[in-house]
Amino acid sequence: MKEQRWFAASAVLNDQMCVAGGWNDGNTLSSVELFNPVVNTWTNIAPMKTKRCGHALVSYNGRLYTFGGWDYSSNRLNSMESFDPREGKWKSLKPMNEERYGFCGVVYNDEIYAIGLLFILYINYR
């Protein structure tokens, strides 16, 4: 990758590996990188609107969705955003009901789920 990062999130978008956010040398990141295995290169795409680490990232219907985590001030987040590669930018979405970090996101039966330590939050973005 172009930038070292810890506590980042990853997903596959259009046959490329995407790594978003994370933490590096005391800074929370908003940067996003795509790895193209065909040409073995990393490229940057538009940064997320919010700096995040310990968040979730999923690919669904040709878009990326990121949610939760914590920001540069160590505040837990409930915010969500989506990246449309056709537009090349991130869009803010309705926030989750709960702040969470250190969890995972999955897509199952055309629905996005945020799965934490003690409970599951259903997110409907069809």
Side-chain angles (χ1 to χ4, degrees):
M1 286 183 284
K2 293 182 175 191
E3 190 165 18
Q4 288 185 344
R5 42 182 99 223
W6 298 267
F7 308 111
S10 61
V12 174
L13 177 67
N14 300 328
D15 296 325
Q16 295 186 63
M17 184 173 59
C18 178
V19 180
W23 184 82
N24 182 349
D25 293 329
N27 297 308
T28 304
L29 305 172
S30 62
S31 59
V32 182
E33 298 182 51
L34 286 178
F35 177 71
N36 184 330
V38 175
V39 293
N40 195 33
T41 59
W42 287 93
T43 57
N44 287 82
I45 62 172
M48 298 178 292
K49 290 181 170 286
T50 303
K51 295 178 178 183
R52 304 172 183 273
C53 58
H55 57 296
L57 180 72
V58 298
S59 178
Y60 176 64
N61 281 343
R63 293 180 179 212
L64 292 170
Y65 291 84
T66 188
F67 38 101
W70 65 88
D71 65 11
Y72 61 94
S73 300
S74 297
N75 295 316
R76 288 181 286 179
L77 301 172
N78 66 343
S79 61
M80 296 183 64
E81 48 191 291
S82 175
F83 179 79
D84 184 340
R86 295 174 300 258
E87 296 177 8
K89 61 182 179 178
W90 291 87
K91 174 185 170 185
S92 296
L93 302 173
K94 180 181 174 186
M96 298 184 294
N97 293 332
E98 302 287 333
E99 301 165 340
R100 58 187 75 232
Y101 63 96
F103 66 106
C104 66
V106 297
V107 176
Y108 179 72
N109 284 340
D110 288 327
E111 297 170 339
I112 299 173
Y113 291 86
I115 302 173
L117 297 173
L118 301 175
F119 49 90
I120 297 175
L121 173 68
Y122 163 72
I123 305 167
N124 186 1
Y125 277 103
R126 290 188 194 191

